[in-house]
Amino acid sequence: MRLDETCFKEHVAARLFQDGVARGYWDIAPRDGVEWPYALIWISAPTRPNSPDRFFLRFSLKDYPSKGPTATLWDFEKDVRLDLAKWPKGNGDVGMVFRTNWKEAVSLYAPWDSFPLLDHTDWPQKYPGYVWKPTYTIVHYLRQTRDVLHTDEYIGC
Amino acid sequence: MKNQIYVHFGGHKEVCGFELTEEETVGSLIERLGKEGHLGEFKAEEWIVCIEDSEEELARDHRLEPGKHKRIHVCRCRKVEVSVVFNGVTQSHPFSPGTTLRKVIHWARDKFGVDKKEKLVLRLDNTESEPLDPDSHVGSYVHHPHCHVTFYLTPSTKIQG
């Protein structure tokens, strides 16, 4: 097994990740055909009319944790990126993190996602503490993303 | 797993799940945790148990019930002196060790008069460190006999395009 995969599995088995599982915040979503460096994880969403109670994230985790994760919303049943019409909608950070008009929504538009950082070299100064560090674990990504959803700014899909 | 209780330990951010035995009391749980090596330097009489976000310290003979006591804090600090720094101003308050950071943020918002719409986070060490888990307990950030911690209160990130 590769070192990045070993690290990821250790972090998933660790108490911080598992405490989120116990709280119903997130968990691994096993699915046939998902192979390293990819992983599917769901995060819970607050109740909104005609909206799901969870969203699936498809992570790319190559060189984790030296390099930060990148993820996009995923349709678990169809095994494709979630239809843009079904992405979370809302004001403030919800509208930004889940924006669908940037690079075809290939990733979340968030400072904790490694993909947009490639184009936003000022983000580490602009958003200190949020940008990925090799000492962080996948819990950082999940917590920040979930926290964005669990606000009044989220209005549903 | 229906008798499971989640235990937050003083000085540690990790949380452990434990199966409660029949007739489990605070005293018997402390003894068990000590024997299983969870309490390090173990002197049973030094350790206390409190319920998450409750000011109440449970008596030794208090019976633990999974439905009622879902998350508890086990530590040696009876109170945690929490200082919160916001815009260079410090406010302090003694909290029960099982107090969540969410509750501290609520207290700090009132104390500093921050608008309810402003999303806030607490950080350790400085205003640029990783935002802390609002579900974690203040007791998890102190190491007995030093029962004091300083947090930095900042607005949550506002992502711009």
Side-chain angles (χ1 to χ4, degrees), chain A residues 73-135:
Chain A
L73 291 175
W74 205 248
D75 187 320
F76 185 84
E77 300 301 326
K78 297 177 181 170
D79 200 22
V80 294
R81 191 194 62 197
L82 187 66
D83 189 321
L84 297 183
K86 295 179 179 175
W87 280 46
K89 294 173 185 63
N91 307 310
D93 283 347
V94 176
M96 293 307 291
V97 169
F98 300 103
R99 65 186 288 187
T100 55
N101 60 351
W102 186 77
K103 302 222 170 179
E104 298 176 335
V106 69
S107 76
L108 302 194
Y109 190 76
W112 47 91
D113 191 293
S114 64
F115 186 75
L117 272 180
L118 298 173
D119 280 6
H120 297 82
T121 51
D122 61 332
W123 275 11
Q125 289 74 44
K126 213 169 168 183
Y127 307 118
Y130 288 92
V131 170
W132 184 265
K133 291 179 183 170
T135 51

Side-chain angles (χ1 to χ4, degrees), chain A residues 19 25 93 96 127-128 140, chain B residues 71 123 130 135 157 159-160:
Chain A
D19 190 45
Y25 286 2
D93 283 347
M96 293 307 291
Y127 307 118
H140 174 75
Chain B
R71 285 180 183 269
R123 308 184 193 223
E130 183 181 14
D135 290 319
T157 186
I159 299 160
Q160 294 154 351

